[in-house]
């Protein structure tokens, strides 16, 4: 058994126990990636509580319990999702975007980033001009100008009459 005096000994504890712990959890899960995730999470929890864990009679035993519980919890979550899938069926597929959507996205990509961002925040996210200004760090007048220029550029790119855009 190793005895640890302070937080600096966590590194030594980690180096001395990581391979054994990973091997243990790998045997439990049968999946190296899942085992690595569970062991990593267990070490994070040990580090957060190191002032307490280091005083246990066997800190590595505590780690085995924690890592095993994490692995079992993940397994239960996956099992629950699989049962829900069987119960409710597959999620309906999302239809592909229509040609109008593809054209708008392609046109937006051709705009300068500032205009594209202002348009996305204002029209897609529904943010008021003041909030767009706050988020982008630009004055409200600048945001309004970006919106106007962006609308005009989009109208040209999409061959839309400017009167139709102003009404939107």
């Amino acid at each position: 058994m190793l005895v640890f005096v302070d937080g600096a000994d966590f590194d030594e504890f980690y180096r001395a126990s990581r391979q054994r712990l990973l091997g243990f959890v790998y045997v439990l899960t049968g999946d190296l990636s899942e085992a690595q995730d569970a062991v990593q999470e267990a070490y994070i929890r040990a580090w957060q509580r190191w002032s307490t864990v280091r005083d246990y009679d066997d800190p590595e035993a505590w780690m085995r319990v924690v890592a095993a519980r994490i692995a079992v919890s993940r397994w239960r979550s996956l099992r629950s999702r699989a049962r829900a899938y069987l119960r409710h069926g597959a999620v309906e597929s999302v239809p592909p975007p229509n040609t109008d959507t593809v054209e708008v996205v392609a046109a937006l990509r051709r705009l300068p980033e500032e205009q594209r961002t202002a348009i996305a925040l204002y029209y897609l996210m529904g943010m008021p001009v003041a909030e767009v200004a706050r988020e982008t760090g630009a004055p409200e007048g600048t945001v309004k100008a970006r919106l106007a220029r962006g609308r005009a550029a989009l109208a040209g790119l999409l061959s839309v009459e400017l009167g139709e855009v102003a009404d939107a």
Side-chain angles (χ1 to χ4, degrees):
M1 178 178 81
L2 298 171
V3 177
F4 301 100
V5 180
D6 60 26
D9 289 331
F10 182 83
D11 290 342
E12 183 182 336
F13 169 71
Y14 173 78
R15 282 190 295 277
S17 63
R18 68 178 182 228
Q19 288 303 108
R20 286 188 302 273
L21 187 59
L22 180 60
F24 169 72
V25 179
Y26 177 60
V27 169
L28 290 179
T29 63
D31 183 324
L32 182 59
S33 178
E34 282 296 317
Q36 289 169 331
D37 289 347
V39 168
Q40 180 180 9
E41 179 65 28
Y43 277 111
I44 289 169
R45 292 180 188 183
W47 173 251
Q48 292 169 337
R49 298 165 181 79
W50 187 240
S51 62
T52 303
V53 172
R54 71 175 176 218
D55 294 333
Y56 291 163
D57 289 337
D58 189 356
E60 193 171 333
W62 182 87
M63 289 290 297
R64 282 191 300 274
V65 170
V66 171
R69 286 181 180 166
I70 291 168
V72 168
S73 177
R74 289 177 185 224
W75 178 76
R76 285 181 179 152
S77 176
L78 288 172
R79 187 178 63 180
S80 295
R81 278 187 250 150
R83 285 182 179 161
Y85 174 77
L86 290 174
R87 201 171 37 248
H88 301 291
V91 176
E92 294 181 24
S93 64
V94 176
N98 64 34
T99 56
D100 291 341
T101 302
V102 172
E103 289 174 15
V104 170
V105 170
L108 281 167
R109 285 183 179 160
R110 294 178 61 188
L111 296 180
E113 182 180 349
E114 295 85 8
Q115 291 176 10
R116 188 173 55 241
T117 301
I119 286 173
L121 292 173
Y122 185 78
Y123 290 105
L124 298 177
M125 300 300 295
M127 297 170 109
V129 171
E131 200 171 323
V132 173
R134 191 170 36 259
E135 184 154 326
T136 60
E140 287 185 33
T142 302
V143 170
K144 289 177 184 177
R146 288 175 180 169
L147 289 170
R149 289 183 188 126
R151 284 191 302 265
L154 280 175
L157 292 168
L158 297 171
S159 301
V160 175
E161 293 296 319
L162 282 176
E164 294 176 32
V165 173
D167 293 338

